[in-house]
Amino acid sequence: TGIPYRFYLHAPAEHLTLIALDNWQKEADASAAWTLVKNPAHVVYRTDSSLDSVQYGIRHDKAYWVSNIRARSAGYSDVDLNAPACGGTQPVYTSSPIAGTQPVPWVGQQRVQTQTQPLPAQMVLKGSLRNVLSATLDTAAVCLNGKPFQYDITSDAPVSLTFSDGRTLSLVAGSNKGTL
């Protein structure tokens, strides 16, 4: 489990060195095999409405099948939800140090997908919410549309979840478990 990342430390460089050199080959190579994931079973997303530009129609309030994320108060809102009803596969990650010399010497750390493993279909929605007042979940995208499912969600405060199939779920602060 985890979130994939690559962290590069270019110790001999200063802020504008990489812009002046304009060499992004290692980043291009690192992302060359990436594929677009349409509706992953696991969504981890952090947003802050202060980063929105509503006057330009820009709202950072959705990730895959979770949308209309509204914060309870100023600051970051964190969504970490898992809905494996479609089954499929899930990535397996490996962490390791990395290093190179182009465009300047660098060292780093990475967590990358090295394989996948089967993800058995389960009629469940589980995870956690922090500083979330409300959100909408697309049940068709995660194979929960109109079907009963178990939920196990922890929240730091009351949350209202609206599902695309018309159902709603009101959560209290703390642990919430049941069937919807």
Side-chain angles (χ1 to χ4, degrees), residues 53-58:
S53 294
V54 179
Q55 69 273 27
Y56 300 112
I58 299 171

Side-chain angles (χ1 to χ4, degrees), residues 100-144:
T101 59
Q102 296 297 323
V104 295
W106 57 272
V107 295
Q109 181 70 25
Q110 67 180 358
R111 180 183 298 131
V112 295
Q113 180 179 332
T114 53
Q115 60 183 335
T116 60
Q117 64 185 23
L119 178 64
Q122 298 175 7
M123 299 304 291
V124 64
L125 174 65
K126 56 187 174 182
S128 64
L129 302 167
R130 190 182 68 75
N131 192 28
V132 174
L133 175 66
S134 62
T136 301
L137 280 64
D138 182 351
T139 52
V142 290
C143 302
L144 294 173

Side-chain angles (χ1 to χ4, degrees), residues 31-63:
S31 63
W34 291 357
T35 57
L36 178 64
V37 176
K38 300 259 186 207
N39 288 307
H42 191 191
V43 171
V44 178
Y45 187 64
R46 171 174 264 193
T47 187
D48 185 336
S49 61
S50 71
L51 303 173
D52 294 346
S53 294
V54 179
Q55 69 273 27
Y56 300 112
I58 299 171
R59 271 198 120 112
H60 306 285
D61 68 345
K62 61 182 166 253

